[in-house]
Amino acid sequence: MRISFALLPLLLAAANGAAAFQTGTPPPRVPPVPLHVHAPLKAATGADIASASDSPTAATRSSSTEQTASSGDIVEFPPPLTGIERTKRAIEFYKRVLPVLAAYKAKEIELKFNPAKSQDEEDQIWTDIDEWGSDRIAETIQDMKGFYVKTGQVISTRVDLFPPAYTE
């Protein structure tokens, strides 16, 4: 299965989705959120069930006392990207992915004017391009992180649209 150029708008929109739909000023910075450590759940006894039925908040209070907050575990999020930074990321993405799409188109044109001798030979040509392209795109996703990782996860679930090299 080949990547169709009909999917190009889908790939470009998905890859640039975060930047394409953000306009204006960046959202306000969210303060750090402490991580909570939950104690393991214990089996309820008959007395626990009876007390919970008497007072619905009693069960809530007893379970909340089992949770302990560790004061040293704070997750700090980076500040949002500026418009220029988002544009640089999008350009970097396109700089890495467009050659893959161009290789597919170039091979499609080449095979149109100089067809393969057999179907097996053509399948091997497409498999080689799939392997090369999937490696390039995987490297790009790993380097750019964030939104691109999520896009890669979505691509990996679409076995009906992408060749096995991209979905495995």
Side-chain angles (χ1 to χ4, degrees), residues 38-49 51 58-67:
H38 297 280
L41 295 176
K42 61 181 181 180
T45 63
D48 292 337
I49 295 172
S51 66
T60 306
R61 273 185 295 214
S62 66
S63 66
S64 66
T65 57
E66 293 177 1
Q67 299 175 4

PDB file of all heavy atoms in Angstrom, residues 38-49 51 58-67:
ATOM      1  N   HIS A  38      -0.715   7.866  45.873  1.00  0.00           N
ATOM      2  CA  HIS A  38      -1.872   7.185  46.439  1.00  0.00           C
ATOM      3  C   HIS A  38      -1.430   5.915  47.136  1.00  0.00           C
ATOM      4  O   HIS A  38      -0.631   5.149  46.609  1.00  0.00           O
ATOM      5  CB  HIS A  38      -2.885   6.837  45.341  1.00  0.00           C
ATOM      6  CG  HIS A  38      -3.434   8.049  44.663  1.00  0.00           C
ATOM      7  ND1 HIS A  38      -4.428   8.802  45.202  1.00  0.00           N
ATOM      8  CD2 HIS A  38      -3.087   8.667  43.502  1.00  0.00           C
ATOM      9  CE1 HIS A  38      -4.702   9.822  44.407  1.00  0.00           C
ATOM     10  NE2 HIS A  38      -3.896   9.753  43.357  1.00  0.00           N
ATOM     11  N   ALA A  39      -1.992   5.702  48.320  1.00  0.00           N
ATOM     12  CA  ALA A  39      -1.715   4.465  49.049  1.00  0.00           C
ATOM     13  C   ALA A  39      -2.473   3.332  48.372  1.00  0.00           C
ATOM     14  O   ALA A  39      -3.502   3.560  47.734  1.00  0.00           O
ATOM     15  CB  ALA A  39      -2.166   4.608  50.491  1.00  0.00           C
ATOM     16  N   PRO A  40      -1.997   2.098  48.465  1.00  0.00           N
ATOM     17  CA  PRO A  40      -2.712   0.995  47.862  1.00  0.00           C
ATOM     18  C   PRO A  40      -4.098   0.843  48.486  1.00  0.00           C
ATOM     19  O   PRO A  40      -4.298   1.125  49.664  1.00  0.00           O
ATOM     20  CB  PRO A  40      -1.843  -0.227  48.147  1.00  0.00           C
ATOM     21  CG  PRO A  40      -0.725   0.231  49.004  1.00  0.00           C
ATOM     22  CD  PRO A  40      -0.784   1.710  49.140  1.00  0.00           C
ATOM     23  N   LEU A  41      -5.042   0.436  47.675  1.00  0.00           N
ATOM     24  CA  LEU A  41      -6.405   0.235  48.164  1.00  0.00           C
ATOM     25  C   LEU A  41      -6.454  -1.005  49.039  1.00  0.00           C
ATOM     26  O   LEU A  41      -5.799  -2.004  48.770  1.00  0.00           O
ATOM     27  CB  LEU A  41      -7.368   0.080  46.984  1.00  0.00           C
ATOM     28  CG  LEU A  41      -7.529   1.296  46.091  1.00  0.00           C
ATOM     29  CD1 LEU A  41      -8.439   0.959  44.926  1.00  0.00           C
ATOM     30  CD2 LEU A  41      -8.104   2.465  46.867  1.00  0.00           C
ATOM     31  N   LYS A  42      -7.244  -0.936  50.098  1.00  0.00           N
ATOM     32  CA  LYS A  42      -7.413  -2.108  50.947  1.00  0.00           C
ATOM     33  C   LYS A  42      -8.828  -2.625  50.779  1.00  0.00           C
ATOM     34  O   LYS A  42      -9.737  -1.882  50.385  1.00  0.00           O
ATOM     35  CB  LYS A  42      -7.115  -1.759  52.404  1.00  0.00           C
ATOM     36  CG  LYS A  42      -8.017  -0.688  52.979  1.00  0.00           C
ATOM     37  CD  LYS A  42      -7.651  -0.391  54.409  1.00  0.00           C
ATOM     38  CE  LYS A  42      -8.612   0.668  54.945  1.00  0.00           C
ATOM     39  NZ  LYS A  42      -8.317   1.002  56.314  1.00  0.00           N
ATOM     40  N   ALA A  43      -9.004  -3.879  51.043  1.00  0.00           N
ATOM     41  CA  ALA A  43     -10.318  -4.492  50.888  1.00  0.00           C
ATOM     42  C   ALA A  43     -11.268  -3.922  51.934  1.00  0.00           C
ATOM     43  O   ALA A  43     -10.898  -3.697  53.085  1.00  0.00           O
ATOM     44  CB  ALA A  43     -10.211  -6.001  51.034  1.00  0.00           C
ATOM     45  N   ALA A  44     -12.499  -3.671  51.523  1.00  0.00           N
ATOM     46  CA  ALA A  44     -13.504  -3.125  52.441  1.00  0.00           C
ATOM     47  C   ALA A  44     -14.047  -4.239  53.328  1.00  0.00           C
ATOM     48  O   ALA A  44     -14.280  -5.356  52.872  1.00  0.00           O
ATOM     49  CB  ALA A  44     -14.634  -2.490  51.646  1.00  0.00           C
ATOM     50  N   THR A  45     -14.247  -3.904  54.576  1.00  0.00           N
ATOM     51  CA  THR A  45     -14.838  -4.863  55.513  1.00  0.00           C
ATOM     52  C   THR A  45     -16.307  -4.535  55.670  1.00  0.00           C
ATOM     53  O   THR A  45     -16.787  -3.487  55.226  1.00  0.00           O
ATOM     54  CB  THR A  45     -14.142  -4.782  56.887  1.00  0.00           C
ATOM     55  OG1 THR A  45     -14.362  -3.476  57.433  1.00  0.00           O
ATOM     56  CG2 THR A  45     -12.652  -5.059  56.768  1.00  0.00           C
ATOM     57  N   GLY A  46     -17.024  -5.399  56.353  1.00  0.00           N
ATOM     58  CA  GLY A  46     -18.446  -5.163  56.591  1.00  0.00           C
ATOM     59  C   GLY A  46     -18.671  -3.881  57.364  1.00  0.00           C
ATOM     60  O   GLY A  46     -19.616  -3.143  57.122  1.00  0.00           O
ATOM     61  N   ALA A  47     -17.784  -3.576  58.330  1.00  0.00           N
ATOM     62  CA  ALA A  47     -17.925  -2.359  59.130  1.00  0.00           C
ATOM     63  C   ALA A  47     -17.724  -1.121  58.261  1.00  0.00           C
ATOM     64  O   ALA A  47     -18.418  -0.119  58.434  1.00  0.00           O
ATOM     65  CB  ALA A  47     -16.916  -2.360  60.270  1.00  0.00           C
ATOM     66  N   ASP A  48     -16.769  -1.200  57.309  1.00  0.00           N
ATOM     67  CA  ASP A  48     -16.541  -0.065  56.411  1.00  0.00           C
ATOM     68  C   ASP A  48     -17.768   0.199  55.553  1.00  0.00           C
ATOM     69  O   ASP A  48     -18.162   1.340  55.350  1.00  0.00           O
ATOM     70  CB  ASP A  48     -15.346  -0.328  55.495  1.00  0.00           C
ATOM     71  CG  ASP A  48     -14.028  -0.370  56.244  1.00  0.00           C
ATOM     72  OD1 ASP A  48     -13.968   0.222  57.340  1.00  0.00           O
ATOM     73  OD2 ASP A  48     -13.081  -0.979  55.713  1.00  0.00           O
ATOM     74  N   ILE A  49     -18.390  -0.873  55.068  1.00  0.00           N
ATOM     75  CA  ILE A  49     -19.577  -0.721  54.219  1.00  0.00           C
ATOM     76  C   ILE A  49     -20.721  -0.142  55.027  1.00  0.00           C
ATOM     77  O   ILE A  49     -21.434   0.740  54.572  1.00  0.00           O
ATOM     78  CB  ILE A  49     -19.957  -2.071  53.580  1.00  0.00           C
ATOM     79  CG1 ILE A  49     -18.838  -2.493  52.625  1.00  0.00           C
ATOM     80  CG2 ILE A  49     -21.292  -1.980  52.862  1.00  0.00           C
ATOM     81  CD1 ILE A  49     -18.987  -3.890  52.079  1.00  0.00           C
ATOM     82  N   SER A  51     -20.519   1.757  57.748  1.00  0.00           N
ATOM     83  CA  SER A  51     -20.272   3.157  58.077  1.00  0.00           C
ATOM     84  C   SER A  51     -20.427   4.035  56.829  1.00  0.00           C
ATOM     85  O   SER A  51     -20.856   5.173  56.928  1.00  0.00           O
ATOM     86  CB  SER A  51     -18.893   3.348  58.700  1.00  0.00           C
ATOM     87  OG  SER A  51     -17.892   3.057  57.749  1.00  0.00           O
ATOM     88  N   ALA A  58     -18.150   9.767  54.923  1.00  0.00           N
ATOM     89  CA  ALA A  58     -17.203   9.046  55.773  1.00  0.00           C
ATOM     90  C   ALA A  58     -16.226   8.249  54.926  1.00  0.00           C
ATOM     91  O   ALA A  58     -15.031   8.222  55.204  1.00  0.00           O
ATOM     92  CB  ALA A  58     -17.952   8.125  56.736  1.00  0.00           C
ATOM     93  N   ALA A  59     -16.718   7.593  53.876  1.00  0.00           N
ATOM     94  CA  ALA A  59     -15.838   6.811  53.005  1.00  0.00           C
ATOM     95  C   ALA A  59     -14.870   7.731  52.284  1.00  0.00           C
ATOM     96  O   ALA A  59     -13.703   7.409  52.111  1.00  0.00           O
ATOM     97  CB  ALA A  59     -16.660   6.010  52.002  1.00  0.00           C
ATOM     98  N   THR A  60     -15.339   8.902  51.882  1.00  0.00           N
ATOM     99  CA  THR A  60     -14.491   9.850  51.193  1.00  0.00           C
ATOM    100  C   THR A  60     -13.387  10.349  52.117  1.00  0.00           C
ATOM    101  O   THR A  60     -12.234  10.427  51.731  1.00  0.00           O
ATOM    102  CB  THR A  60     -15.318  11.056  50.681  1.00  0.00           C
ATOM    103  OG1 THR A  60     -16.392  10.561  49.911  1.00  0.00           O
ATOM    104  CG2 THR A  60     -14.470  11.998  49.867  1.00  0.00           C
ATOM    105  N   ARG A  61     -13.741  10.665  53.345  1.00  0.00           N
ATOM    106  CA  ARG A  61     -12.747  11.156  54.292  1.00  0.00           C
ATOM    107  C   ARG A  61     -11.697  10.102  54.591  1.00  0.00           C
ATOM    108  O   ARG A  61     -10.522  10.377  54.649  1.00  0.00           O
ATOM    109  CB  ARG A  61     -13.420  11.605  55.592  1.00  0.00           C
ATOM    110  CG  ARG A  61     -13.882  13.035  55.559  1.00  0.00           C
ATOM    111  CD  ARG A  61     -14.392  13.378  56.891  1.00  0.00           C
ATOM    112  NE  ARG A  61     -15.567  12.515  57.057  1.00  0.00           N
ATOM    113  CZ  ARG A  61     -16.665  12.840  57.704  1.00  0.00           C
ATOM    114  NH1 ARG A  61     -16.743  13.950  58.335  1.00  0.00           N
ATOM    115  NH2 ARG A  61     -17.685  12.045  57.768  1.00  0.00           N
ATOM    116  N   SER A  62     -12.133   8.838  54.771  1.00  0.00           N
ATOM    117  CA  SER A  62     -11.163   7.804  55.117  1.00  0.00           C
ATOM    118  C   SER A  62     -10.216   7.533  53.951  1.00  0.00           C
ATOM    119  O   SER A  62      -9.044   7.296  54.154  1.00  0.00           O
ATOM    120  CB  SER A  62     -11.865   6.511  55.544  1.00  0.00           C
ATOM    121  OG  SER A  62     -12.559   5.968  54.443  1.00  0.00           O
ATOM    122  N   SER A  63     -10.726   7.585  52.702  1.00  0.00           N
ATOM    123  CA  SER A  63      -9.831   7.332  51.576  1.00  0.00           C
ATOM    124  C   SER A  63      -8.909   8.515  51.327  1.00  0.00           C
ATOM    125  O   SER A  63      -7.794   8.348  50.884  1.00  0.00           O
ATOM    126  CB  SER A  63     -10.634   6.998  50.318  1.00  0.00           C
ATOM    127  OG  SER A  63     -11.376   8.127  49.915  1.00  0.00           O
ATOM    128  N   SER A  64      -9.369   9.744  51.633  1.00  0.00           N
ATOM    129  CA  SER A  64      -8.514  10.898  51.396  1.00  0.00           C
ATOM    130  C   SER A  64      -7.374  10.959  52.406  1.00  0.00           C
ATOM    131  O   SER A  64      -6.333  11.521  52.125  1.00  0.00           O
ATOM    132  CB  SER A  64      -9.317  12.192  51.419  1.00  0.00           C
ATOM    133  OG  SER A  64      -9.812  12.422  52.715  1.00  0.00           O
ATOM    134  N   THR A  65      -7.554  10.372  53.574  1.00  0.00           N
ATOM    135  CA  THR A  65      -6.463  10.376  54.541  1.00  0.00           C
ATOM    136  C   THR A  65      -5.382   9.385  54.149  1.00  0.00           C
ATOM    137  O   THR A  65      -4.259   9.488  54.601  1.00  0.00           O
ATOM    138  CB  THR A  65      -6.967  10.042  55.957  1.00  0.00           C
ATOM    139  OG1 THR A  65      -7.614   8.774  55.917  1.00  0.00           O
ATOM    140  CG2 THR A  65      -7.911  11.110  56.462  1.00  0.00           C
ATOM    141  N   GLU A  66      -5.693   8.439  53.274  1.00  0.00           N
ATOM    142  CA  GLU A  66      -4.694   7.479  52.818  1.00  0.00           C
ATOM    143  C   GLU A  66      -3.791   8.074  51.732  1.00  0.00           C
ATOM    144  O   GLU A  66      -2.747   7.540  51.442  1.00  0.00           O
ATOM    145  CB  GLU A  66      -5.368   6.217  52.282  1.00  0.00           C
ATOM    146  CG  GLU A  66      -6.065   5.429  53.363  1.00  0.00           C
ATOM    147  CD  GLU A  66      -6.792   4.225  52.798  1.00  0.00           C
ATOM    148  OE1 GLU A  66      -6.734   4.020  51.582  1.00  0.00           O
ATOM    149  OE2 GLU A  66      -7.418   3.515  53.577  1.00  0.00           O
ATOM    150  N   GLN A  67      -4.231   9.166  51.160  1.00  0.00           N
ATOM    151  CA  GLN A  67      -3.432   9.809  50.125  1.00  0.00           C
ATOM    152  C   GLN A  67      -2.435  10.755  50.780  1.00  0.00           C
ATOM    153  O   GLN A  67      -2.785  11.519  51.668  1.00  0.00           O
ATOM    154  CB  GLN A  67      -4.322  10.613  49.178  1.00  0.00           C
ATOM    155  CG  GLN A  67      -5.333   9.780  48.443  1.00  0.00           C
ATOM    156  CD  GLN A  67      -6.260  10.657  47.617  1.00  0.00           C
ATOM    157  OE1 GLN A  67      -6.073  11.851  47.554  1.00  0.00           O
ATOM    158  NE2 GLN A  67      -7.241  10.049  47.008  1.00  0.00           N
TER     159      GLN A  67
END
